[in-house]
Amino acid sequence: MNDIDNSKLKELMKDSSRGMSENNQKEFFKELSNASLYLPVDLDQEALNLNQDTLEKGLNGEIPITLSPFLLKQEDGKTILPLFTDKDESDKLEHHIFVSIGTLEIAKLLVDNKDIYGVIINPTDVDGVGISTDSFLGFVGSTKIKEFSDFVVKNSRPLKSESRFYLREVAPLMKQMSKDGIYTSELPFNVSFKDNFDENCKYLNILIFPRGMRFLYVGNIGEFSDSIFPPTLKFKLIEEDGNTFTWKCISQELGPAKKRNNIMFYLIAIVLIVVIIFILIQFFA
């Protein structure tokens, strides 16, 4: 396993147990956005029977093998994904198989494993940093906008009926950032089916999405959200009552992934129509 250099990230994590300063937090997430981390993995029985050379090719992504993330269980029952900044830290865990992984791949893994509550970077270190899944997805969605948006679009599905979702805020940011009653989100939009997921945030946004809007349900990913809507979204403010704002989503412009899928659908449909016409011509000739 070749070592990776996360010395600056590790330096920023020092004294995190006492809380990072705002400036250190910004620098930490900036550094994390481009970092590769070590993820402990388990192999299936077939992979365990491979010889060392073949196994190394599989771990390097040269050939397909089945890998499952090694997970930790906290005392409160929450499932955590452990990650490590370097070999010195990973050696502290009694687990000998690790792969390097970037933040976008980590986000995809979290979406695919809906029971994971969050990640801990260097869980065996006093300066380890924990990030809830919804916060991690929000971070990746804001730093790798195109890649994560494409992923959300590709894996999204349409709402079967008009539905309400909820977003609580410490401050009324949606209202403050709207223009003439219209709020536009160009980032993946994290929301919840539940209206009481964070009572400490006194501002409640009720979001009405019409049937057919595409979304990705990612499960219980923390305290703040359970679903992601791909950008770009436009909301119209239709009612305001104290600290509660009701919005209706009036448009959703899907990213390139869904557009590519739509183009492919139409191309296939055209080919099928041509084939059917050809068969009919041959039949009636």
Side-chain angles (χ1 to χ4, degrees), residues 191-210:
V191 294
S192 176
F193 277 118
K194 305 179 291 291
D195 66 349
N196 61 343
F197 53 88
D198 188 1
E199 293 294 351
N200 295 320
C201 298
K202 65 180 183 178
Y203 295 95
L204 173 64
N205 296 287
I206 301 172
L207 309 164
I208 302 172
F209 289 87

Side-chain angles (χ1 to χ4, degrees), residues 16-260:
S16 62
S17 56
R18 294 194 291 271
M20 283 188 190
S21 67
E22 184 178 344
N23 186 56
N24 269 18
Q25 275 190 357
K26 291 179 180 178
E27 286 296 314
F28 169 79
F29 282 109
K30 180 181 177 181
E31 195 70 21
L32 181 61
S33 66
N34 296 313
S36 290
L37 298 167
Y38 287 130
L39 167 72
V41 296
D42 292 322
L43 302 175
D44 65 3
Q45 190 58 48
E46 183 180 350
L48 286 172
N49 294 330
L50 297 175
N51 62 51
Q52 188 62 34
D53 288 342
T54 307
L55 179 58
E56 287 184 4
K57 288 181 179 180
L59 293 175
N60 291 330
E62 297 175 39
I63 61 173
I65 61 173
T66 302
L67 302 173
S68 300
F70 174 79
L71 303 173
L72 299 175
K73 240 356 175 189
Q74 291 187 321
E75 291 182 1
D76 58 7
K78 292 175 180 175
T79 302
I80 299 297
L81 181 73
L83 300 163
F84 299 87
T85 53
D86 51 54
K87 192 174 183 298
D88 288 341
E89 294 297 333
S90 65
D91 284 347
K92 297 177 184 179
L93 183 71
E94 294 181 2
H95 197 89
H96 67 282
I97 301 177
F98 292 84
V99 295
S100 61
I101 187 170
T103 53
L104 181 63
E105 287 69 32
I106 296 169
K108 293 177 181 179
L109 191 155
L110 293 173
V111 169
D112 290 337
N113 293 266
K114 296 178 171 38
D115 294 328
I116 300 177
Y117 182 81
V119 307
I120 295 183
I121 303 173
N122 294 346
T124 56
D125 190 78
V126 66
D127 292 324
V129 172
I131 309 172
S132 66
T133 293
D134 52 352
S135 296
F136 194 91
L137 294 181
F139 148 69
V140 174
S142 63
T143 54
K144 297 187 181 296
I145 300 172
K146 181 184 181 301
E147 297 92 336
F148 190 63
S149 295
D150 277 359
F151 170 74
V152 174
V153 170
K154 184 178 179 180
N155 291 276
S156 65
R157 58 188 177 88
L159 287 170
K160 293 182 179 179
S161 61
E162 182 178 274
S163 304
R164 290 192 172 204
F165 292 81
Y166 303 92
L167 173 66
R168 285 190 179 272
E169 299 177 302
V170 176
L173 297 180
M174 279 191 70
K175 174 68 185 306
Q176 293 173 0
M177 296 175 67
S178 64
K179 185 176 181 181
D180 298 325
I182 302 295
Y183 173 80
T184 302
S185 173
E186 296 183 352
L187 300 176
F189 200 67
N190 292 20
V191 294
S192 176
F193 277 118
K194 305 179 291 291
D195 66 349
N196 61 343
F197 53 88
D198 188 1
E199 293 294 351
N200 295 320
C201 298
K202 65 180 183 178
Y203 295 95
L204 173 64
N205 296 287
I206 301 172
L207 309 164
I208 302 172
F209 289 87
R211 179 178 180 272
M213 289 282 176
R214 301 195 70 89
F215 81 113
L216 174 62
Y217 178 69
V218 289
N220 184 23
I221 60 171
E223 300 177 6
F224 301 105
S225 56
D226 51 39
S227 303
I228 306 174
F229 281 82
T232 299
L233 297 164
K234 287 189 177 181
F235 297 89
K236 182 178 182 180
L237 182 62
I238 58 176
E239 187 177 345
E240 181 178 347
D241 182 13
N243 293 339
T244 301
F245 308 92
T246 303
W247 306 80
K248 184 166 186 178
C249 185
I250 56 176
S251 72
Q252 180 184 49
E253 297 177 12
L254 296 177
K258 185 51 60 179
K259 288 179 180 177
R260 285 194 295 269

